[in-house]
Amino acid sequence: MSNANEEGVSDTGVKPTVNVRLRERQVLFVAPDTEGTRKWGVYGCPDMYRAADGSIVVYDPGNMDTYDRDAGAMVEPVAFRSVDNGKTWESVASQEYGRPAKVFTLSDGAQVQFRTKSPPVDLRAAGLRPEHIVITPNECGLLGLFRHGDIPLAARTFEVRYREAGATTWLSSDGVFDMPELYVGAVVKGKTDAAVWPDVTPNFDCLDYTMTGLHMGCTGQEALVEADDGVWISAIYETVPTERNARYFAQLHCIASADKGRTWRGRGCIFDLREQTTFGATEEFSMIRQGSEIVCVDRTDCATTFDPHRGTVLARSADNGFTWSKPEVVASSSVTPHLVRLGNGVAALVFGRPGVHVQFSSDGCRSWNALTSLIGKTKEEELAAGRDLMDAMYIDTVSYSNTRTVTTGPDRFLVLYTDFKYEGQKRKALVVQEVMVAPVV
């Protein structure tokens, strides 16, 4: 990177309210150029999280986001670990990390984890039939909507692991979502190349298939907020019935636990975007506390050619999640948006596709400035250059833009992203880059 100082840091052009610097990017892995790696989504969804021992882990299953059943045999999972806050990395055996278990560190230093207790349950074998059926956004299958309260209690129970600050022993208890009227989506038919829709086993995993922030939706500290009275707050997605039960539409609900994660109940709807989007809230959200408010952002891009809604939306709550402000668009693209809360009072918003970009706020996420691009162009820049937006996002794209973040200090954080044109070739690389930001004094 040009104009780097002795720390390997380069200054970027920013507005005067904050000073942003980027550390030289670290390439952790470059995929071989094979038939398997050329497929869309392969090596496209790496995860990064801080483990219980304080180390930072990067893990990529290889074939996470692809409908090609053979892709798993074509690529290998990879994992990397840093014990010095992201300065250096070592390759580790991927089977040690497999499916990462997020660790939330609370304000008093205690740690909490949420884990599934059993393999996914076959809802059809359990005698359940969907109350509604909707088509998935990319039209690759049919999603059955099952009432959460009808699913056997054992299948709805997960493990809550809690460890007090300084303790070495984890305490374990059962946890459950006490939301019987919540609709849970499970695929009941899948589409093949021959346009046949064969039956698919409608599996249910109490953390995965509700796409809750306790396990899905985002990573690290971006999914669990502590209220002033000690209540834990997170969010959960719900696919809701639509007209004629034909079209997919999702809402994001605020959930809360007053008993250290053992019981979760609905508190308020964060995003109901019926009048603003085609498919509603989708896949990824991020939530942080800013002073007396909770701020939440969500993805609206559903990766379809007929969905014009691709912006990151933001809402805030001043009453610990019971009511939320009207959603506002705060970025022009929205794949895996992340809110990062730093100790120096600055908040960052990471978003992407096309590219990966960061913008900053010093006033509680009310205004944004100092847009910094880590890779690629923004939506506006791609359009100004005369490119077809869908081509730049999904065909000839520079990055998959499924990002992850980990805070590494009061003024800095890591961003994990992909480079799909590594060294000018169509090769896929996993990249970590540290972003440093401080208010201008």
Side-chain angles (χ1 to χ4, degrees):
M1 187 176 292
S2 62
N3 300 321
N5 65 17
E6 64 275 9
E7 292 183 321
V9 172
S10 176
D11 292 331
T12 60
V14 299
K15 294 182 179 181
T17 54
V18 292
N19 183 24
V20 184
R21 297 183 298 165
L22 302 179
R23 193 171 296 279
E24 291 280 5
R25 70 182 206 163
Q26 298 168 280
V27 178
L28 304 187
F29 171 74
V30 180
D33 184 15
T34 66
E35 179 184 355
T37 62
R38 294 189 199 106
K39 294 181 181 297
W40 172 254
V42 175
Y43 289 126
C45 294
D47 199 1
M48 178 171 64
Y49 61 97
R50 194 176 289 278
D53 62 2
S55 63
I56 302 174
V57 173
V58 168
Y59 173 76
D60 195 320
N63 64 317
M64 179 178 175
D65 194 14
T66 175
Y67 300 107
D68 189 330
R69 296 179 181 179
D70 296 326
M74 296 180 180
V75 298
E76 295 292 331
V78 293
F80 305 88
R81 180 171 175 262
S82 174
V83 296
D84 56 8
N85 227 20
K87 292 182 177 62
T88 61
W89 297 83
E90 63 174 340
S91 177
V92 292
S94 59
Q95 60 266 26
E96 294 182 23
Y97 298 95
R99 182 179 179 182
K102 291 191 297 189
V103 178
F104 297 101
T105 300
L106 306 178
S107 58
D108 62 359
Q111 293 179 317
V112 62
Q113 289 180 317
F114 303 93
R115 294 181 173 180
T116 53
K117 295 189 66 173
S118 59
V121 174
D122 181 342
L123 296 178
R124 188 179 290 123
L128 299 181
R129 299 178 64 88
E131 294 195 8
H132 306 274
I133 293 179
V134 297
I135 301 174
T136 60
N138 47 20
E139 298 186 346
C140 69
L142 298 180
L143 196 69
L145 304 185
F146 299 82
R147 184 177 172 275
H148 200 260
D150 294 337
I151 298 172
L153 179 61
R156 293 187 282 118
T157 302
F158 53 89
E159 180 188 15
V160 182
R161 300 180 77 227
Y162 179 83
R163 183 166 68 178
E164 293 184 353
T168 58
T169 303
W170 290 89
L171 303 177
S172 179
S173 60
D174 285 346
V176 69
F177 296 111
D178 185 15
M179 302 177 68
E181 301 305 319
L182 181 81
Y183 280 114
V184 175
V187 177
V188 295
K189 284 184 177 292
K191 189 176 182 180
T192 67
D193 290 338
V196 178
W197 294 68
D199 287 344
V200 175
T201 300
N203 287 326
F204 169 77
D205 182 310
C206 60
L207 291 181
D208 277 5
Y209 280 79
T210 47
M211 291 190 72
T212 168
L214 307 184
H215 189 77
M216 296 288 287
C218 57
T219 191
Q221 297 298 115
E222 302 167 23
L224 188 67
V225 170
E226 297 174 82
D228 295 333
D229 58 2
V231 172
W232 297 355
I233 295 173
S234 187
I236 192 170
Y237 286 98
E238 178 185 26
T239 305
V240 297
T242 59
E243 264 185 68
R244 300 180 182 176
N245 297 325
R247 182 171 58 80
Y248 174 100
F249 190 87
Q251 298 173 344
L252 184 68
H253 297 281
C254 179
I255 57 176
S257 173
D259 56 6
K260 293 187 175 181
R262 292 186 291 274
T263 309
W264 292 85
R265 295 186 173 93
R267 176 157 282 200
C269 185
I270 306 174
F271 293 111
D272 184 351
L273 305 169
R274 295 173 194 268
E275 298 179 0
Q276 298 168 264
T277 67
T278 304
F279 300 106
T282 63
E283 294 186 6
E284 298 278 346
F285 77 92
S286 181
M287 176 187 291
I288 62 173
R289 176 170 283 281
Q290 288 288 85
S292 61
E293 294 183 322
I294 301 172
V295 182
C296 185
V297 295
D298 196 271
R299 171 179 176 172
T300 60
D301 171 23
C302 253
T304 65
T305 57
F306 50 87
D307 178 17
H309 307 286
R310 310 192 189 282
T312 298
V313 291
L314 178 147
R316 61 182 73 245
S317 173
D319 57 6
N320 289 321
F322 287 101
T323 61
W324 293 82
S325 66
K326 182 179 179 179
E328 59 177 310
V329 177
V330 291
S332 63
S333 56
S334 68
V335 172
T336 59
H338 297 276
L339 284 172
V340 181
R341 177 189 177 189
L342 296 174
N344 60 7
V346 176
L349 172 63
V350 182
F351 61 95
R353 198 179 300 170
V356 176
H357 317 283
V358 192
Q359 59 189 26
F360 305 90
S361 175
S362 299
D363 60 2
C365 302
R366 282 179 165 76
S367 63
W368 300 91
N369 57 56
L371 181 68
T372 299
S373 295
L374 304 185
I375 188 172
K377 295 181 173 66
T378 63
K379 170 185 174 181
E380 292 82 2
E381 289 170 334
E382 292 285 12
L383 291 174
R387 292 201 66 195
D388 176 77
L389 182 60
M390 292 304 296
D391 182 60
M393 292 177 66
Y394 298 107
I395 308 301
D396 186 26
T397 184
V398 71
S399 174
Y400 199 83
S401 308
N402 280 65
T403 56
R404 290 292 183 245
T405 65
V406 168
T407 303
T408 50
D411 63 346
R412 61 194 63 198
F413 59 97
L414 294 176
V415 181
L416 171 70
Y417 59 93
T418 53
D419 184 345
F420 272 22
K421 295 184 177 180
Y422 180 67
E423 294 187 339
Q425 306 175 43
K426 286 192 175 181
R427 299 182 65 188
K428 298 174 180 179
L430 307 186
V431 178
V432 171
Q433 191 162 16
E434 190 170 49
V435 179
M436 291 158 282
V437 58
V440 173
V441 179

